[in-house]
């Protein structure tokens, strides 16, 4: 199972070390406070939503005596795997890395708080056979409520320099599905006429994540689609995706799906009591 969730109303807990593998979603309900993220200070007030992956990068927390917050942290990889690679989540995560605060309307804040409470109330139900699926569906509701608010945020993209161009071009290349066959950072660096080192450093600085993580995020849905197609053998899938061997293909699946290819296919079969 190993899905980690944490709910709290303590603003000063949001950057604790135990949350380093999570994505933080914090809603300010009253008062005001501030924090530093990526060397920039942010001030938040009522109805401000803060979304930060790896929240232990937050520092200098400060809150007025009347500040009230509620937050929900969830395992980052679990959230990532819920969404298709070409979803708004990729572009949105880049934007949020540059500015993690979204101003919500009263209605949006109310919907998000309801999302938090539904997740909070089911966090302890580990005994359920479909706990992962249940929590995934509740997380998806929260995520799409956040997407809706974020999409409406008035964005002024001042990043017109070369680094922003590199990020956008990489995402454009990945959106073509080329990662079905090409998963090496050097391939994308060559396409963008930069060195692998420069590409890796730029993507990490601009988004907070590695080039490889974005390649994998686009590859995994393709992999799942092939595994869901019973007409294709595992050998055929490995060949279609340009894996050098069946064993390498199996290791890749185990790493990113938590199961071998055959185990994943078995999990798709209906279970009878």
């Amino acid at each position: 199972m190993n899905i980690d969730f944490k709910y709290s109303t303590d603003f000063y807990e949001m950057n604790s070390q135990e949350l380093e593998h999570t994505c933080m979603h914090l809603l300010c309900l009253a008062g005001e406070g501030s924090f530093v993220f990526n060397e920039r200070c942010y001030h938040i007030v009522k109805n401000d939503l803060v979304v930060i992956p790896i929240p232990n990068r937050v520092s200098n927390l400060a809150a007025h005596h009347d500040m009230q917050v509620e937050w929900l942290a969830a395992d980052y990889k679990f959230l990532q795997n819920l969404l298709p690679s070409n979803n708004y989540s990729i572009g949105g995560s880049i934007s949020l890395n540059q500015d993690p605060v979204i101003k919500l309307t009263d209605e949006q804040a109310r919907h998000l708080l309801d999302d938090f409470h539904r997740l909070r109330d089911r966090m302890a139900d580990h005994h359920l056979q479909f706990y992962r699926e249940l929590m995934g569906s509740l997380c998806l509701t929260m995520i799409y409520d956040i997407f809706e608010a974020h999409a409406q945020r008035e964005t002024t993209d001042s990043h017109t320099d070369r680094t922003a161009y590199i990020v956008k071009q990489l995402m454009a290349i990945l959106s073509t599905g080329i990662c079905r066959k090409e998963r090496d950072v050097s391939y994308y660096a060559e396409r963008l006429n930069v060195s692998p080192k420069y590409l890796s450093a730029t993507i990490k600085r601009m988004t907070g994540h590695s080039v490889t993580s974005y390649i994998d995020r686009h590859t995994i849905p393709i992999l799942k689609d092939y595994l869901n197609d019973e007409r294709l053998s595992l050998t055929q899938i490995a060949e279609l995706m340009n894996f050098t061997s069946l064993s390498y293909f199996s290791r890749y699946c185990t790493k990113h799906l938590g199961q071998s290819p055959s185990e994943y296919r078995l999990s798709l079969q209906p279970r009878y009591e």
Side-chain angles (χ1 to χ4, degrees):
M1 199 69 65
N2 297 327
I3 308 172
D4 293 325
F5 295 94
K6 184 173 177 63
Y7 165 86
S8 178
T9 59
D10 186 344
F11 178 67
Y12 289 101
E13 265 194 306
M14 70 175 285
N15 68 340
S16 64
Q17 192 67 34
E18 67 174 358
L19 302 176
E20 63 180 357
H21 64 292
T22 70
C23 183
M24 164 69 61
H25 311 82
L26 179 143
L27 180 63
C28 181
L29 303 176
E32 56 186 302
S34 63
F35 62 92
V36 171
F37 175 66
N38 284 346
E39 301 181 353
R40 179 179 171 185
C41 184
Y42 294 92
H43 180 256
I44 58 173
V45 296
K46 181 181 177 180
N47 285 356
D48 279 351
L49 167 66
V50 180
V51 182
I52 297 179
I54 323 299
N56 63 354
R57 292 188 292 162
V58 171
S59 63
N60 297 70
L61 296 168
H64 285 213
H65 70 279
D66 60 345
M67 186 183 192
Q68 297 176 32
V69 304
E70 293 190 34
W71 57 256
L72 192 289
D75 182 80
Y76 183 72
K77 289 184 178 179
F78 177 69
L79 294 179
Q80 272 193 323
N81 289 336
L82 289 175
L83 299 172
S85 64
N86 60 353
N87 198 276
Y88 178 82
S89 59
I90 293 178
S93 67
I94 294 172
S95 172
L96 286 170
N97 188 69
Q98 296 164 5
D99 183 358
V101 180
I102 306 171
K103 296 190 177 300
L104 306 183
T105 65
D106 287 341
E107 181 182 24
Q108 289 170 339
R110 187 171 63 254
H111 285 320
L112 191 63
L113 201 57
D114 288 342
D115 295 336
F116 284 4
H117 293 168
R118 280 190 289 267
L119 282 158
R120 176 200 63 190
D121 294 343
R122 304 306 298 268
M123 279 168 47
D125 291 343
H126 297 280
H127 61 283
L128 297 178
Q129 182 175 352
F130 296 101
Y131 176 73
R132 173 180 290 272
E133 291 80 3
L134 169 68
M135 296 302 284
S137 67
L138 295 178
C139 282
L140 270 176
T141 301
M142 177 186 71
I143 289 168
Y144 282 113
D145 279 338
I146 293 172
F147 282 0
E148 187 65 31
H150 185 251
Q152 295 174 19
R153 182 169 80 175
E154 188 174 339
T155 57
T156 53
D157 187 3
S158 60
H159 298 275
T160 56
D161 59 10
R162 179 167 173 74
T163 56
Y165 174 79
I166 291 293
V167 173
K168 291 177 180 178
Q169 288 302 110
L170 173 64
M171 299 308 159
I173 295 171
L174 287 170
S175 68
T176 66
I178 190 65
C179 55
R180 177 173 70 86
K181 286 183 171 293
E182 302 290 348
R183 290 175 293 276
D184 195 287
V185 174
S186 62
Y187 169 84
Y188 296 94
E190 184 177 351
R191 286 280 302 269
L192 294 167
N193 296 312
V194 296
S195 70
K197 183 178 180 180
Y198 177 85
L199 178 60
S200 297
T202 298
I203 297 300
K204 184 70 173 179
R205 184 174 70 256
M206 290 291 289
T207 71
H209 305 290
S210 67
V211 178
T212 302
S213 72
Y214 284 111
I215 295 172
D216 291 335
R217 286 180 68 178
H218 283 79
T219 303
I220 292 167
I222 298 172
L223 172 61
K224 286 182 176 179
D225 284 344
Y226 280 143
L227 288 172
N228 291 343
D229 188 344
E230 296 180 353
R231 296 169 299 177
L232 296 173
S233 69
L234 298 183
T235 300
Q236 287 174 314
I237 296 173
E239 291 175 352
L240 284 168
M241 299 192 69
N242 205 28
F243 284 98
T244 54
S245 68
L246 196 56
S247 60
Y248 177 35
F249 169 61
S250 181
R251 289 196 302 273
Y252 187 90
C253 288
T254 301
K255 178 181 178 180
H256 295 289
L257 301 180
Q259 300 171 301
S260 70
S262 55
E263 288 171 339
Y264 179 84
R265 278 194 157 167
L266 187 61
S267 73
L268 299 176
Q269 302 300 316
R271 289 179 285 185
Y272 302 99
E273 298 297 335

